[in-house]
Amino acid sequence: MSVKHEPVGGPLFTRMFAIALAFAGIGAFVLAKRFMFGIGAVSHMSDGYPWGIWITYDVLIGTAIGCGGYAMALLVYVFNKGQYHPLVRSAVMTSMFGYGLAGVSVFVDIGRYWNMLNIFNPGLMNFNSVMLEVALCIATYCGILVLEFMPAFLEGFGGPNASKGYNKIMFILVAVGVLLPTMHQSSLGSMMIISGYKLSPLWQSGLLPYYNVITAILMGYAIVLFESYLSAVSFGRPFETHLLSKLAGVIPGLMIAYLVVRWADLLLSGALASAFSGMAGLMFWVENLLFVTALAMIAPAARRTSAKNLCQSGFVLLLACGVLKFNMYIIGFQPGKGWTYFPSVQEILVTLAIIAIEFLAYLIFVKKLPVLPAPEHA
């Protein structure tokens, strides 16, 4: 299916652009302090909590949100739903930002960052480590996303026909681009299986790889709904309701598949007994209430005809999956007595800076490059 894409155009330096730039500048100042004085100077992480919000939000949630390209590729290329092709390029761009900044976050988070390139040295690889598979998969996928987005660069600098020859190899990139997220998103779940009894029974399960993959796909579709509405409002473009309402019809089935398996797992394992005490119990109910709310908002077909409801339900679904991952990696994780973790102000500022940089990159790309479909395709 041939789709024409166009730059949105318009002034780049708006008030929102300036605010985001200020947050990015504050984050750069904190990072300068981190690399000058060490990670302990800006973070509350410890031997008990070797990862904090930089890994949980910037990497785990960031890459799951960045699965928009993966989720759309599954639908368009694997299940042959070509009518959604106009949504693919912007979803791939979002994925490129999400995964790229996740890689930057890992670099910031690693204590001995100068050893990071050792993951590519076969002589130093630990082939029994699930983290090696995650690292190699994510690094490779970042490169694949840049290549998948290359037609936008070619058309932006060489004209509408500049990507015709390049598009002939896209099927190879798409095939690899579908395989890699399936591998590393499932492995991110396997990482927490290794934590054993340290992870609350409310989240510890042999099905964590399944939960991670299906929620990553859900977040991929949710970010497409959320981003499409906001870009339409922000740039005065027509709503893509006719496409988005059909796309949203995929979500209820996936959510039900997730919730049925998740609750059957909880009932069979007897883990629900832990759901009535402490912060972990409270956050478990918050997580599940958000999932049920998102399902109630998006399941009725009549509600999927409203662009505003699609955006709101996408946001609630993103929130539900985000809380799940926070619960799985921080709230439900108890390394032992004497260890506590709450992010420092500087950790939060760096995370806000990461979000601001994604926002800045989004504005620059959609205004200067042919990313969004021309209005006749929207």
Side-chain angles (χ1 to χ4, degrees):
M1 179 180 181
S2 178
V3 180
K4 183 181 178 184
H5 296 83
E6 290 179 349
V8 171
L12 197 57
F13 290 95
T14 61
R15 182 182 299 177
M16 292 302 295
F17 190 92
I19 293 172
L21 201 59
F23 274 102
I26 294 169
F29 174 78
V30 175
L31 289 181
K33 185 178 174 183
R34 176 259 177 272
F35 286 110
M36 289 175 65
F37 302 107
I39 198 168
V42 299
S43 165
H44 284 171
M45 287 185 285
S46 62
D47 289 342
Y49 285 93
W51 58 76
I53 59 168
W54 288 345
I55 292 297
T56 305
Y57 177 79
D58 301 345
V59 177
L60 298 166
I61 296 177
T63 59
I65 289 176
C67 280
Y70 167 52
M72 292 307 301
L74 278 174
L75 201 59
V76 173
Y77 299 109
V78 177
F79 295 105
N80 201 27
K81 302 290 184 183
Q83 67 266 37
Y84 301 116
H85 201 272
L87 304 172
V88 170
R89 188 172 287 184
S90 59
V92 169
M93 182 187 69
T94 306
S95 298
M96 187 172 64
F97 294 157
Y99 273 87
L101 290 171
V104 171
S105 300
V106 171
F107 181 74
V108 172
D109 184 84
I110 292 175
R112 298 179 181 179
Y113 55 86
W114 54 87
N115 287 331
M116 189 172 175
L117 289 178
N118 285 343
I119 63 170
F120 300 109
N121 183 344
L124 297 175
M125 289 178 177
N126 176 3
F127 292 100
N128 293 317
S129 169
V130 69
M131 292 184 73
L132 173 68
E133 190 265 333
V134 170
L136 291 178
C137 259
I138 290 182
T140 307
Y141 189 50
C142 286
I144 292 294
L145 284 169
V146 172
L147 294 175
E148 282 189 283
F149 191 70
M150 191 60 71
F153 289 120
L154 294 173
E155 292 170 19
F157 294 105
N161 297 322
S163 65
K164 279 189 175 178
Y166 186 85
N167 286 336
K168 293 179 181 177
I169 65 165
M170 282 297 286
F171 73 96
I172 300 173
L173 300 174
V174 169
V176 179
V178 169
L179 173 67
L180 292 175
T182 308
M183 291 172 64
H184 64 248
Q185 287 295 337
S186 62
S187 295
L188 285 170
S190 300
M191 278 173 52
M192 292 312 291
I193 294 177
I194 298 170
S195 65
Y197 67 89
K198 294 180 180 178
L199 182 61
S200 165
L202 291 171
W203 294 282
Q204 182 58 276
S205 167
L207 294 175
L208 283 179
Y210 165 76
Y211 297 150
N212 243 42
V213 170
I214 196 167
T215 53
I217 294 172
L218 282 170
M219 291 181 87
Y221 290 132
I223 193 64
V224 171
L225 298 180
F226 186 65
E227 177 263 330
S228 296
Y229 179 85
L230 291 188
S231 66
V233 170
S234 302
F235 302 127
R237 293 165 48 81
F239 296 117
E240 298 158 321
T241 311
H242 63 292
L243 278 178
L244 296 176
S245 59
K246 292 180 183 175
L247 176 67
V250 176
I251 295 176
L254 286 172
M255 290 186 68
I256 290 169
Y258 164 74
L259 288 170
V260 167
V261 174
R262 172 98 164 100
W263 277 83
D265 189 20
L266 286 166
L267 291 169
L268 292 173
S269 66
L272 271 183
S274 305
F276 302 97
S277 63
M279 177 60 74
L282 174 64
M283 291 305 296
F284 168 80
W285 291 112
V286 170
E287 166 198 319
N288 282 279
L289 182 61
L290 285 168
F291 271 109
V292 172
T293 303
L295 183 60
M297 291 174 72
I298 208 164
R303 302 203 66 178
R304 296 199 295 270
T305 59
S306 162
K308 191 173 182 180
N309 181 65
L310 290 173
C311 173
Q312 291 172 341
S313 55
F315 176 74
V316 175
L317 182 53
L318 287 173
L319 202 57
C321 295
V323 171
L324 166 68
K325 292 181 188 299
F326 262 99
N327 287 343
M328 194 185 295
Y329 288 88
I330 292 185
I331 304 294
F333 183 71
Q334 293 296 327
K337 291 182 179 178
W339 297 110
T340 59
Y341 171 77
F342 191 83
S344 69
V345 172
Q346 294 172 102
E347 284 177 86
I348 295 171
L349 287 174
V350 169
T351 295
L352 291 176
I354 293 285
I355 297 170
I357 291 169
E358 288 189 65
F359 180 70
L360 289 170
Y362 180 87
L363 287 179
I364 294 170
F365 275 51
V366 299
K367 288 189 175 183
K368 300 299 180 186
L369 293 173
V371 176
L372 298 179
E376 62 265 28
H377 295 290

